[in-house]
Amino acid sequence: MADFDYTDLLPLGADETEYRLITAEGVRKVEAAGRTFLEVDPEALRLLTETAIHDISHFLRASHLAQLRKIVDDPESSGNDRFVALDLLKNASISAGGVLPMCQDTGTAIVMGKRGRHVLTDGQDAEHISRGVYDAYTKLNLRYSQMAPLTMWEEKNTGNNLPAQVELYAEDPHGHPDEYKLLFMAKGGGSANKSFLYQETKAVLNEKRMMAFLEEKIRSLGTAACPPYHLAVVVGGTSAEYALKTAKYASARYLDSIPTEGSPSGHGFRDLEMEAKVFELTQKLGIGAQFGGKYFCHDVRVIRLPRHGASCPVAIAVSCSADRQALAKITPEGVFLEKLETDPARFLPETTDEHLSDDVVSIDLNRPMPEILAELTKYPVKTRLSLTGPLVVARDIAHAKIAELLDNGGEMPQYLKDHAVYYAGPAKTPEGYASGSFGPTTAGRMDSYVERFQAAGGSMVMLAKGNRSKQVTEACQKYGGFYLGSIGGPAARLAQDCIKKVEVLEYPELGMEAVWKIEVVDFPAFIVVDDKGDDFFTDKTGPVLTIGRR
């Protein structure tokens, strides 16, 4: 029997974060029972939350921006790597103006807090934090994405992006009983959908098996969540849910300061050697920053946790190009928020687009659909395009309604026959702008509709982000269609520079899920699936590791 030896599961090191003061109001020291307490007003929690949601919607960490610049400067980057990185830097510069959020999917608000034992509140912390979320989402040009279940099958958008996910713990952060430490995150559907749990066994706990396992699973992430990613891998866990939660925090670099070695006490640790090996693996996959190259990931975190002897969970999560999180703290000195980069333009290179990418083919979307298809068929997959003209915008609910129309004997709407369809849903439109942030959504959610829509003469050219299933490739080959991949991530730049007009065509009651018609100029895209049965991603599915494969 071993001696009692307590350890935190994830012991954090010193906090090296650079903070900025939000306010010195709403906090005060009070004396009671021979001890000094920190009293925090509800308004301090509300204001901190509202400010945090604003900042993470518009600003990024300087370290993340430096990683984007590294891609531009790396001579081993592909032309497409550099083009995507440059577009994301431009997007960050536009978003930092505080009007257009960096991504149209402004996410679920997630807040985790650790409240020291000498911090006094009115006990309604989650409500005050939620009020701050409400104020940010209703005042700013953000999108409401939260669906309230009315019955098992019926849902209604809450209209304010609540509820938020708020988790609060009674714990002295970094040993300080009079501090309140918080982590704010905005998690969009794309990256949230790339959180995975695998229930493995001890057989995977050797390097050869683990690397082969990870190669297969990392490939399956695809590009729908807007790489380059911050990738997190967690091996072990006292429960499945703890493994997944640890992966989420690790992808936000929240756990960077935990130990780098294990011990008999059982705390988790970072394996820096495995991080380097997995990162090298991601660079060999060839997927790159969405359209081929080296930079599928910015970095990798690998965390080993204790486990039950009969269970070996492995969790994988990513933070995407909308890398939205910030730390905060409330102390006797005031209310503080992590200092994010407000001048991302300083990371932009002098180099122009023409020096960074391959030749660009201009496509006039004003032409009849047969002429557009005849032009696209001249070029191979991976060709970079510049689109100008009208697009129809439709996503999940609109596709379901059109499918129901066909089921009832109706005709394919003429607008889907005449125009390319863009899978997207806009954020709110700021005053004086043609559009709010309006980047592409994940294409794969519409895969099941493609064959029947193309058979009816619609969806012949599709535009979205991420890879598609084999059924889409087969449909395009059969009916002569194309899938064009747009860059996932630069929603603010697309709104400011590329989208010139937006109008509702059908289903206005669906809000951002309505069918829209938009006019675009120089909208960037790549041919991903063509009419010959070629798919850019099919040559990225073979293994690069040959050791120890099962």
Side-chain angles (χ1 to χ4, degrees):
M1 182 177 63
D3 294 334
F4 174 78
D5 182 16
Y6 175 79
T7 179
D8 287 342
L9 275 176
L10 293 166
L12 296 176
D15 183 6
E16 305 293 341
T17 307
E18 183 179 2
Y19 292 96
R20 67 182 182 91
L21 177 67
I22 302 299
T23 181
E25 303 295 322
V27 296
R28 69 196 63 83
K29 291 182 179 180
V30 294
E31 303 289 335
R35 291 185 286 176
T36 301
F37 294 86
L38 175 66
E39 189 172 30
V40 179
D41 290 344
E43 172 59 16
L45 286 169
R46 189 210 65 79
L47 176 62
L48 173 59
T49 302
E50 181 182 8
T51 306
I53 296 297
H54 169 276
D55 281 16
I56 64 177
S57 297
H58 291 282
F59 308 127
L60 292 158
R61 287 170 169 160
S63 57
H64 175 86
L65 294 164
Q67 288 173 310
L68 286 172
R69 176 57 188 268
K70 178 184 176 183
I71 296 173
V72 176
D73 293 337
D74 186 349
E76 295 183 355
S77 297
S78 70
N80 287 342
D81 274 343
R82 296 191 191 101
F83 177 69
V84 171
L86 180 63
D87 222 38
L88 292 172
L89 284 171
K90 291 178 180 178
N91 187 71
S93 299
I94 293 168
S95 177
V99 178
L100 294 166
M102 68 184 71
C103 180
Q104 80 286 343
D105 184 349
T106 48
T108 298
I110 299 172
V111 185
M112 186 272 288
K114 297 178 179 179
R115 192 175 79 185
R117 68 185 186 276
H118 288 174
V119 176
L120 303 178
T121 70
D122 67 357
Q124 303 299 314
D125 300 27
E127 180 179 346
H128 307 317
I129 289 169
S130 295
R131 180 67 201 210
V133 170
Y134 171 89
D135 289 342
Y137 276 87
T138 54
K139 293 176 184 177
L140 299 171
N141 298 309
L142 308 183
R143 197 175 85 185
Y144 309 142
S145 300
Q146 305 308 306
M147 305 298 292
L150 305 181
T151 69
M152 179 64 75
W153 320 120
E154 297 174 290
E155 296 178 311
K156 181 179 179 1
N157 193 299
T158 62
N160 53 25
N161 216 56
L162 292 177
Q165 179 180 322
V166 182
E167 300 180 2
L168 303 175
Y169 300 89
E171 178 181 328
D172 290 353
H174 292 99
H176 295 287
D178 59 349
E179 286 192 0
Y180 204 149
K181 301 288 284 286
L182 301 106
L183 169 66
F184 293 91
M185 304 178 71
K187 200 73 173 172
S191 61
N193 292 345
K194 297 303 178 181
S195 299
F196 294 102
L197 174 72
Y198 306 97
Q199 294 287 14
E200 296 300 306
T201 68
K202 182 174 170 46
V204 81
L205 294 182
N206 63 79
E207 183 178 327
K208 291 181 179 180
R209 285 285 185 90
M210 180 60 73
M211 291 298 292
F213 169 85
L214 289 178
E215 180 184 347
E216 175 189 349
K217 303 309 180 186
I218 290 170
R219 282 185 186 281
S220 72
L221 293 174
T223 59
C226 308
Y229 298 132
H230 300 280
L231 173 66
V233 177
V234 174
V235 179
T238 49
S239 64
E241 62 271 23
Y242 193 80
L244 279 168
K245 185 178 294 188
T246 301
K248 177 181 287 186
Y249 292 154
S251 72
R253 279 83 72 216
Y254 178 74
L255 302 176
D256 277 7
S257 65
I258 67 171
T260 56
E261 294 181 345
S263 75
S265 62
H267 62 73
F269 66 92
R270 285 180 62 188
D271 189 323
L272 302 183
E273 183 179 351
M274 274 294 289
E275 288 181 0
K277 290 178 178 178
V278 176
F279 182 59
E280 182 181 5
L281 168 65
T282 67
Q283 294 190 316
K284 292 180 178 179
L285 297 179
I287 300 172
Q290 304 187 30
F291 300 102
K294 175 180 175 183
Y295 282 99
F296 187 55
C297 295
H298 285 303
D299 49 39
V300 174
R301 299 293 183 269
V302 176
I303 292 180
R304 182 69 160 88
L305 292 177
R307 67 183 185 93
H308 185 285
S311 176
C312 185
V314 179
I316 294 177
V318 300
S319 184
C320 66
S321 293
D323 186 43
R324 294 173 295 198
Q325 57 263 325
L327 296 169
K329 64 179 181 179
I330 303 175
T331 73
E333 287 70 42
V335 179
F336 297 86
L337 183 63
E338 182 177 355
K339 186 177 181 181
L340 302 179
E341 179 57 63
T342 58
D343 183 25
R346 69 186 180 89
F347 291 93
L348 281 167
E350 298 292 335
T351 319
T352 63
D353 292 13
E354 288 71 23
H355 294 108
L356 293 172
S357 56
D358 300 325
D359 293 338
V360 183
V361 176
S362 295
I363 301 294
D364 182 3
L365 298 175
N366 291 290
R367 299 159 68 185
M369 181 55 67
E371 293 185 18
I372 295 173
L373 296 173
E375 182 68 16
L376 289 173
T377 196
K378 299 176 184 178
Y379 305 101
V381 295
K382 199 176 175 181
T383 299
R384 182 183 157 198
L385 308 175
S386 178
L387 310 178
T388 297
L391 288 168
V392 167
V393 179
R395 48 181 275 160
D396 307 65
I397 297 178
H399 273 69
K401 284 184 170 292
I402 293 168
E404 184 179 1
L405 177 68
L406 296 177
D407 288 342
N408 293 329
E411 295 289 323
M412 172 64 62
Q414 193 63 37
Y415 53 73
L416 276 186
K417 295 181 178 181
D418 294 341
H419 303 293
V421 59
Y422 179 38
Y423 303 157
K428 284 183 280 188
T429 301
E431 186 175 354
Y433 284 70
S435 168
S437 292
F438 210 156
T441 198
T442 303
R445 298 203 306 272
M446 269 56 74
D447 283 5
S448 62
Y449 300 102
V450 173
E451 198 280 336
R452 61 187 309 207
F453 279 26
Q454 289 190 343
S459 296
M460 297 307 297
V461 177
M462 302 160 286
L463 175 66
K465 67 175 181 176
N467 44 304
R468 308 294 299 259
S469 64
K470 185 178 179 182
Q471 69 187 109
V472 173
T473 304
E474 292 173 346
C476 287
Q477 183 177 18
K478 181 177 181 180
Y479 297 106
F482 289 83
Y483 166 55
L484 311 180
S486 182
I487 301 172
R493 194 191 78 76
L494 294 175
Q496 176 176 286
D497 298 341
C498 301
I499 300 175
K500 302 304 179 183
K501 184 180 179 180
V502 178
E503 59 181 320
V504 177
L505 277 182
E506 198 169 10
Y507 310 126
E509 70 277 8
L510 299 181
M512 69 94 175
E513 290 263 12
V515 176
W516 307 79
K517 184 178 181 181
I518 65 176
E519 294 284 339
V520 301
V521 175
D522 295 331
F523 194 105
F526 295 79
I527 299 177
V528 177
V529 176
D530 67 13
D531 57 349
K532 306 170 190 66
D534 297 320
D535 179 346
F536 162 71
F537 288 103
T538 56
D539 65 347
K540 307 300 178 189
T541 56
V544 298
L545 295 179
T546 57
I547 55 172
R549 297 193 63 81
R550 286 179 282 183

